[in-house]
Amino acid sequence: MRIGILTSGGDCPGLNAVIRGIVLKGTEINDQEFVGFRGGWRGVVTSDLLELGRANVRGIAKEGGTILGTSRTNPFEGEGGPERIQANMQREGIDAIIAIGGEGTLAAAKRLTDAGLKIVGVPKTIDNDLDATDYTFGFDTAVQIATDAMDRLRTTGDSHSRCMVAEVMGRHVGWIALHSGMAAGAHAILIPEQKTTMEEVRGWVESANARGRSPLVVVAEGFTPGETDDPHSERGLDAFGRPRLGGIGERLAPMIEEMTGIETRATTLGHIQRGGVPSAYDRVLATRLGMAASDSVQDGAWGQMVALRGTEIVNVGFEEALGKLKTVPQARYDEAAQLFG
């Protein structure tokens, strides 16, 4: 069986480990051969291919990014669509596709599967917001990167007696903010799931300052203060019509300074969280998911993605993965909030 692999959407640490896991298990155990689509769904629509054998994936598990490249191309726009993709697959002798990506990628994969294409999915999102899997690779690395950055912000904040605001990724959910904020000892963690007012933020900042600490506020990019309705966005829309978020930290810093009289600075970590080598945990998880994806193709588990449940890798339908986002439960936030201020 000849299988095409793609990585689509935002890159994250661990993508290369997935590719390696798929190719090694597929070629050595399942008698499969592979090609990669360059640039995500764009490569599927344009038949931009790269042969993938064991030699092509040697040593890539420790590398960040993706050797296949990625994009946020919508496969249904322009010259795309299931008929075009099916014709390309037949011409290239490709029997099935393994799509590695997040919510947008898997939603497109579901539509194509419903149209008759043979597709298996691998979940990828550093936000850890897909409901059907306990963890996604890249999340652990992103949290560690954010925590390291906050540790550095704490030292400069202490030196100047400033309040430091650290903006991290998290469009709809606050998992990165929650985990990194708790790890770094943040005095306030602001996430999209919680409608927190600026008066509450003021109280936490002033409480920390009164104890002689330099306050650290962690905010997810999708956070909306209780006084507003929409997340901060200055960057237009992506290919799937979603706002490109960012800048809430820079918006909050002058508000905090005005309310408290404490000099405040903001830092947006942005794409730093996506870059660099994956953690050991992410390398292992990504490799296991890749190997399981090869088995799923062998079993004909079309319209399904591999997922982590507890410590086991299982298969779940695309519809289950896309049914709802995995948000931070109220109890988890309340637990962290006991340490604020």
Side-chain angles (χ1 to χ4, degrees), residues 112-127:
L112 292 170
T113 301
D114 291 344
L117 277 69
K118 297 178 178 179
I119 303 178
V120 165
V122 179
K124 179 276 316 171
T125 167
I126 64 170
D127 289 342

Side-chain angles (χ1 to χ4, degrees), residues 297-317:
V297 171
Q298 198 75 357
D299 296 338
W302 316 125
Q304 299 181 44
M305 75 169 199
V306 293
L308 180 70
R309 295 284 176 84
T311 59
E312 302 300 316
I313 305 295
V314 300
N315 281 65
V316 298

